[in-house]
Amino acid sequence: MTETRPLAVIVLAAGQGTRMKSPLPKVLHPVGGRPILGAILEAASALGPQRTIVVVGPRQAEVAAFAAAKGAAAAVQDPPHGTGHAAQCALPALEGFAGEVLILYGDTPLLTAETLTRLVAAKAGAALALLGFTPDDPGPYGRLILDADGGLVKIVEAKDASAEERAVRLCNAGGFVLDAGLLRELLGELTADNAQGEYYLTDIVTGARRRGLKAVAFDAPADDVMGVNSQQERAAAEAVFQARARAAHMAAGVMLADPATVYFSADTAIGPGTAIGQNVVFGPGVSIAAGVTIKPFCHLEGVSVAAGATIGPFARLRPGSVIGEDVHIGNFVETKAATLEKGAKANHLTYLGDVSVGAGANIGAGTITCNYDGFFKHRTEIGAGAFVGSNTALVAPVRIGAGASIGAGSTITKDVAADALALERSAQSEKPGWAARFRALMGARKAAAAKKD
Ligand code: UD1
Ligand code: CA
């Protein structure tokens, strides 16, 4: 049985990605808030591989570092001579491995663990299974040539195909499963005798057939295997990702006022019964409890929000924000590394950075935590039940005791004791009747000036 044999995964990611026209390596472009390569590694990891090898190009230290961070080994292909050559470069890292090898291309961000599992299962009774699909427009894809029994005979690249072969709709999506020993043999036989002068991995199918071995194609859902080669294709993959994410969150009981205007990341977690208004963006690392209200036009990233909280409209919650139960964050409020405990409120026009706000504290409109002195960041601590008046500047590091009150307009540079009132502004003075006298004087001057003209 194929499923019970040990599995190794090779992801080919060394291509230049020139069609992306971007300094960022193609496989690090994001889809659903994570690099394309990360999506593939995650889908493949669900199959429990013993080894995962990512083939990277010579100037792709960033890709190698990303692979290492995900627990994969990197093999360098220098310089890239095609997908077959890329697979050859992974062989040293496969040394001593016996079992099945799953080879994937690094530019298919929508692959699912389910599709990969079905591909591995499709190999039963054959020597090689290939991930195929039937795109609406087969355009540049390799065409799969089948025999009368439905067996896979060969893959012909579009550039090498005859008119008759180009008419075939079933195409290569870029995924192969075969025995490690057979893979080593077949890769050893590749030649670069084709239109692009490259070593094609697709030619291993011909090699298997030459040995009288059976190869099969698994026709996967086209959305799952969408390849990204250009910015337009990245955006198209993103659109499919978002459509899937919206459907999945709604199926889990999340209320989306206008689904098409809400954008998710792959790791966005939202509890049932939470309501999300129009035009909300979830960057990576967001987890929202059940029964939260997020009003329109909010941007959240690296944040957790507890039950009963109300966010927005027009709020920006940045990384490290921990929003407690029943907290209110209102319009034009920005938080960063801010912990707000149960029932705290910051309803208007406020910046809360590097701060902890105790339960039930009220942060008035226009309050700013001055957390940066131009060199270092400093923390502000606001105790439970404190009342911070409007337009207060809290110059960190500073502590406001529990239950303390800060008068509006204060610039607070020293700690304030619990239950004290702190006021930092000049005393108000008043001149009785001054405004009326001033009005009369200036009105007379203006009238005199008008007469002269
Ligand atoms: C390839 C397939 C084609 C298939 C299509 C599916 C071959 C010869 N062609 O074409 O049949 O329909 O994918 O999307 O395999 N890579 C390397 N080293 C290289 C070249 C490529 O690691 O020297 C990697 C790329 O980073 C990429 C993947 O292999 O992740 C596929 O390469 P790409 O150039 O995109 O192949 P296609 O022309 O799309
Ligand atoms: Ca491709």
Side-chain angles (χ1 to χ4, degrees):
M1 283 296 287
T2 352
E3 293 92 320
T4 56
R5 300 191 67 204
L7 182 76
V9 172
I10 299 174
V11 181
L12 309 184
Q16 321 279 17
T18 39
R19 286 169 282 175
M20 297 302 283
K21 306 235 166 78
S22 159
L24 185 68
K26 170 163 87 174
V27 298
L28 295 186
H29 278 70
V31 170
R34 73 183 158 184
I36 293 171
L37 179 59
I40 295 164
L41 291 175
E42 205 164 297
S45 75
L47 277 62
Q50 288 191 347
R51 293 187 200 187
T52 302
I53 302 148
V54 177
V55 181
V56 305
R59 279 169 302 283
Q60 295 188 336
E62 277 173 279
V63 182
F66 180 81
K70 296 284 165 194
V76 179
Q77 183 192 16
D78 184 13
H81 283 310
T83 49
H85 177 237
Q88 287 168 350
C89 294
L91 290 181
L94 212 59
E95 192 70 44
F97 175 82
E100 301 286 329
V101 182
L102 169 62
I103 307 175
L104 297 171
Y105 293 170
D107 59 357
T108 49
L110 302 174
L111 263 185
T112 60
E114 191 200 338
T115 287
L116 293 179
T117 306
R118 289 171 68 194
L119 170 66
V120 172
K123 179 177 170 282
L128 184 154
L130 174 88
L131 188 62
F133 73 129
T134 310
D136 291 337
D137 173 16
Y141 294 110
R143 307 298 201 269
L144 306 190
I145 310 302
L146 305 183
D147 62 19
D149 303 327
L152 179 61
V153 179
K154 61 176 176 174
I155 306 174
V156 187
E157 287 305 295
K159 285 177 183 150
D160 301 300
S162 65
E164 194 190 335
E165 288 166 335
R166 258 198 295 274
V168 170
R169 299 267 321 276
L170 184 60
C171 291
N172 173 25
F176 302 75
V177 194
L178 69 166
D179 174 77
L182 178 62
L183 174 68
R184 289 186 189 98
E185 284 179 35
L186 296 176
L187 287 177
E189 294 168 5
L190 294 182
T191 62
D193 182 16
N194 52 55
Q196 302 184 82
E198 288 186 351
Y199 294 89
Y200 288 169
L201 180 57
T202 45
D203 287 345
I204 64 174
V205 172
T206 320
R209 286 289 287 214
R210 217 184 294 125
R211 285 170 161 72
L213 297 170
K214 189 174 173 198
V216 293
F218 167 60
D219 191 3
D223 275 356
D224 277 25
V225 295
M226 245 173 113
V228 170
N229 299 296
S230 64
Q231 299 295 342
Q232 285 90 332
E233 286 175 357
R234 191 216 68 80
E238 181 76 40
V240 174
F241 171 88
Q242 294 300 340
R244 284 182 179 179
R246 288 164 191 146
H249 285 291
M250 286 190 284
V254 179
M255 263 183 284
L256 302 181
D258 182 1
T261 67
V262 179
Y263 295 85
F264 296 95
S265 288
D267 62 355
T268 307
I270 306 180
T274 280
I276 317 277
Q278 296 86 343
N279 296 292
V280 172
V281 176
F282 295 100
V286 175
S287 117
I288 313 252
V292 169
T293 302
I294 300 186
K295 295 181 178 170
F297 298 100
C298 290
H299 188 282
L300 298 85
E301 181 178 358
V303 177
S304 75
V305 181
T310 302
I311 311 294
F314 299 100
R316 179 169 183 214
L317 306 189
R318 292 171 50 205
S321 299
V322 178
I323 309 300
E325 261 177 67
D326 303 326
V327 163
H328 285 204
I329 299 282
N331 41 242
F332 308 109
V333 171
E334 173 182 348
T335 68
K336 189 228 49 173
T339 300
L340 283 88
E341 281 166 30
K342 190 178 162 95
K345 290 189 175 121
N347 274 327
H348 334 265
L349 301 156
T350 284
Y351 174 60
L352 293 173
D354 300 301
V355 62
S356 61
V357 179
N362 194 314
I363 310 296
T367 297
I368 304 290
T369 51
C370 309
N371 59 332
Y372 187 48
D373 58 16
F375 299 91
F376 299 102
K377 299 278 171 66
H378 302 282
R379 288 197 64 82
T380 299
E381 285 172 35
I382 300 171
F387 179 91
V388 178
S390 295
N391 201 27
T392 292
L394 298 165
V395 183
V398 72
R399 284 193 183 136
I400 311 301
S405 265
I406 311 290
S410 296
T411 296
I412 299 296
T413 54
K414 293 181 219 139
D415 290 356
V416 176
D419 295 321
L421 167 70
L423 205 53
E424 192 283 333
R425 60 189 184 218
S426 42
Q428 188 169 326
S429 67
E430 187 166 322
K431 299 183 178 170
W434 184 94
R437 289 195 300 278
F438 184 69
R439 246 189 334 267
L441 175 70
M442 296 311 268
R445 274 191 197 167
K446 203 168 180 180
K451 248 187 215 165
K452 266 190 212 157
D453 291 343

